[in-house]
Amino acid sequence: MTHYADLLIIGAGPAGISAALAAARSGARIVLLDDNPLPGGQIWRDGPAAHLPRQARNLRQRLDACSNIRIHSATRVIASNGPKQLLVEDPEHGWLISYDKLILCTGARELLLPFPGWTLPGVTGAGGLQALIKGGLPVHGETLVIAGSGPLLLASAASAKQHGAQVLRIAEQASRRAVAGFTAQLPRWPAKLLQSLRLFDPQYRTASHVLAALGSDRLEGVRLQQQGKIVELPCQRLACGFGLIPNIQLGQALDCAIEGQAIAVDAWQACSRADHYAAGECTGFGGSELALVEGAIAGHAAVDERQAAQQLWPRRARWQGFAKALNTAFALDPQLKALAQPDTLVCRCEDVPYAALTEHHDWRSAKLATRCGMGACQGRVCGGAVQHLFDWPAAAPRPPFSPARIETLLCLDEQPAP
C-alpha cells in the first residue's frame, strides 16, 4: 500500500516539530516520521529518568492538537523508490509513502574519535552517556571522566551529577583563550549565558584531551594530557564526544547538494533539489534555538507562506551568530588526529585497526579492502571518524539505508510514484 502526504517531514526533533507546526495552519496533509518512540529528537529524548523541559512538553501538546499532522514514531527510511517516494518501516510493517514536498530534519550524531582503549566496556560518547542515563542507566556513586569538546560535555556532566555520579574531570580540548572568548560573547544570547552559569563545573579544564582509556576487561582509569602535563585518573566511566556530525545520508541519497559536511540550503531552507527542504543540525550544528527557527522557516516556505517565513529571518540570523561563535571556539585541534595508534580499532564492528586504513585514499577503497563501515552500524560511527582522520569525503549511502525485513523490501516491487 502507498500512502500520500502533501508535506513529509523526516525527523521529529526541534526542527521537525517546528516545521510541522508552522505548516499545519495551511491545512496541508502532514506526515512526520522519526525513529524515536516519541517526538523530541536526541535533545529532548524521553526515558524513565528523563525530565523534559516545559518547551518540549508544550510542543508535543501542540502537535497532538493538530488533526492534519500524522506522526509515525519508531519509523525509519529504508530506501528511495523513484521521484518523491520513500520506503519506510516501523516495528510492525513497511510501506511506501509519496509526497509533494519534503523537509529533512535528520539532525546530527556524535563524533567519536578512536584512541587506545576506547572500545573498553565503560567508555561511551558524551551524548551517549546522557541518553543512557535518561533511559535508566544507574550511575549513582560511580566516578566519571568526561572528555572531548563543546558544551555537550558540561550538559552530560550535569546529567550525571543529578543522578548521583561523581564527575572527576571535564577535559575540554579547546584552549582557555578560545573558551574565554566564546564566554565573553554569551551576553549577546542571555538564555545561553544563564545556561552556562548553571552548568559551570569546578572540574572543567581547557587545553585537555584524552590519550587512552586504561584497563584490561573493563575501564579502570583514563590518561589525559591536561594543559601540557600527563595525568592519570582512576574512574569507572569515561564519556568522550568531539562535537556533532550532520546526518546527511538521506540528503545525499536524494541528490541534494552538500556543502562542507552539511546539506546546502538557501534563505528559504530549500535544498538544491526542487520541493526539498532541510532544517536543523543536518544543515550545520547550532543548537535547538537555531533548529526551531530554521524548521519554522522551512515549514512556512514548503506551504508557500513566504511572508511568514521571511519574518523569521532576523531571528535565524541571531542564532546563526551563536552557531558561528560556538563552532569557531570549539574547532578541533589537529593533534587529535594523532590519538589512534596503529593497532587502535577504528571500525569496531569489523575489527579494522588504524594501520589497515592508512594505505587507502578514500572511503570506498578502504571498505572494499578492509570491510570498514560494513558492519552493524553501517559506518555511522567509523564513517565520521575516518572523515576526520583522513579528510575523506562522505560517501553517498546505498539502499537499504538501515537493516529491514524482507517483507518491507518487497514493497519496492510496487509501481514507483510518477
Side-chain angles (χ1 to χ4, degrees), residues 45-51 124-140 142 144 146 155-167 237 239:
R45 188 183 183 94
D46 222 325
H51 300 285
T124 66
L129 176 63
Q130 260 198 321
L132 289 168
I133 291 173
K134 290 177 181 179
L137 176 74
V139 294
H140 184 82
E142 293 189 342
L144 276 68
I146 298 175
S156 183
S159 295
K161 289 193 294 183
Q162 287 169 6
H163 289 82
Q166 180 185 0
V167 178
R237 288 192 182 276

Side-chain angles (χ1 to χ4, degrees), residues 36-344:
N36 288 306
L38 290 169
Q42 296 303 316
I43 189 170
W44 295 327
R45 188 183 183 94
D46 222 325
H51 300 285
L52 292 180
R54 180 182 300 176
Q55 183 183 27
R57 296 195 300 270
N58 289 343
L59 288 171
R60 281 187 182 176
Q61 291 171 1
R62 289 176 60 193
L63 277 179
D64 292 339
C66 293
S67 59
N68 60 325
I69 299 177
R70 184 171 183 180
I71 302 172
H72 291 282
S73 298
T75 302
R76 297 173 298 178
V77 176
I78 303 301
S80 174
N81 193 44
K84 295 189 175 184
Q85 189 176 81
L86 298 176
L87 174 65
V88 302
E89 181 184 77
D90 66 12
E92 298 179 357
H93 68 294
W95 70 97
L96 291 167
I97 181 165
S98 298
Y99 58 88
D100 182 43
K101 305 282 182 67
L102 179 139
I103 304 177
L104 294 168
C105 301
T106 47
R109 65 191 186 278
E110 197 164 17
L111 173 60
L112 305 175
L113 296 181
F115 53 86
W118 79 297
T119 60
L120 282 171
V123 181
T124 66
L129 176 63
Q130 260 198 321
L132 289 168
I133 291 173
K134 290 177 181 179
L137 176 74
V139 294
H140 184 82
E142 293 189 342
T143 52
L144 276 68
V145 171
I146 298 175
S149 192
L152 182 58
L153 304 186
L154 288 167
S156 183
S159 295
K161 289 193 294 183
Q162 287 169 6
H163 289 82
Q166 180 185 0
V167 178
L168 303 178
R169 185 73 77 247
I170 303 172
E172 167 58 59
Q173 62 86 39
S175 70
R176 180 179 180 180
R177 180 177 180 180
V179 174
F182 174 70
T183 304
Q185 297 183 68
L186 285 178
R188 296 167 55 192
W189 308 280
K192 290 297 184 182
L193 175 61
L194 180 61
Q195 185 182 51
S196 69
L197 293 174
R198 288 200 305 263
L199 293 177
F200 174 76
D201 193 295
Q203 298 302 329
Y204 187 80
R205 301 290 187 275
T206 56
S208 304
H209 65 264
V210 65
L211 293 176
L214 309 175
S216 50
D217 297 325
R218 182 175 175 80
L219 179 74
E220 298 172 8
V222 59
R223 181 179 298 127
L224 301 171
Q225 180 169 301
Q226 182 176 294
Q227 298 172 347
K229 298 180 180 179
I230 304 298
V231 176
E232 291 191 3
L233 298 173
C235 62
Q236 294 167 286
R237 288 192 182 276
L238 169 63
C240 285
F242 295 89
L244 299 175
I245 315 168
N247 288 323
I248 62 173
Q249 290 82 358
L250 185 53
Q252 288 178 298
L254 295 173
D255 293 325
C256 298
I258 305 300
E259 185 175 338
Q261 289 188 318
I263 299 174
V265 293
D266 64 11
W268 307 101
Q269 299 295 140
C271 304
S272 60
R273 180 173 172 181
D275 298 328
H276 289 65
Y277 300 79
E281 290 173 348
C282 62
T283 66
F285 175 61
S288 62
E289 294 85 359
L290 180 58
L292 285 166
V293 68
E294 287 182 346
I297 291 171
H300 285 305
V303 295
D304 297 320
E305 296 174 351
R306 291 296 180 107
Q307 184 175 357
Q310 194 166 4
Q311 288 174 349
L312 296 172
W313 286 4
R315 189 190 309 173
R316 179 181 59 188
R318 179 169 176 262
W319 287 111
Q320 283 175 333
F322 173 77
K324 182 178 180 180
L326 178 71
N327 294 322
T328 299
F330 295 100
L332 296 185
D333 192 312
Q335 68 178 319
L336 296 176
K337 293 188 177 187
L339 291 179
Q341 300 300 307
D343 61 346
T344 302

Side-chain angles (χ1 to χ4, degrees), residues 365-388:
S365 171
K367 288 179 72 174
L368 290 174
T370 69
R371 291 189 54 82
C372 183
M374 298 178 70
C377 86
Q378 288 292 286
R380 286 174 175 81
V381 175
C382 62
V386 298
Q387 276 184 263
H388 181 78

Side-chain angles (χ1 to χ4, degrees), residues 345-389:
L345 293 183
V346 175
C347 177
R348 302 170 62 163
C349 299
E350 296 294 326
D351 292 336
V352 181
Y354 178 82
L357 299 173
T358 55
E359 61 191 69
H360 299 284
H361 59 276
D362 61 24
W363 183 230
R364 176 178 171 80
S365 171
K367 288 179 72 174
L368 290 174
T370 69
R371 291 189 54 82
C372 183
M374 298 178 70
C377 86
Q378 288 292 286
R380 286 174 175 81
V381 175
C382 62
V386 298
Q387 276 184 263
H388 181 78
L389 292 173

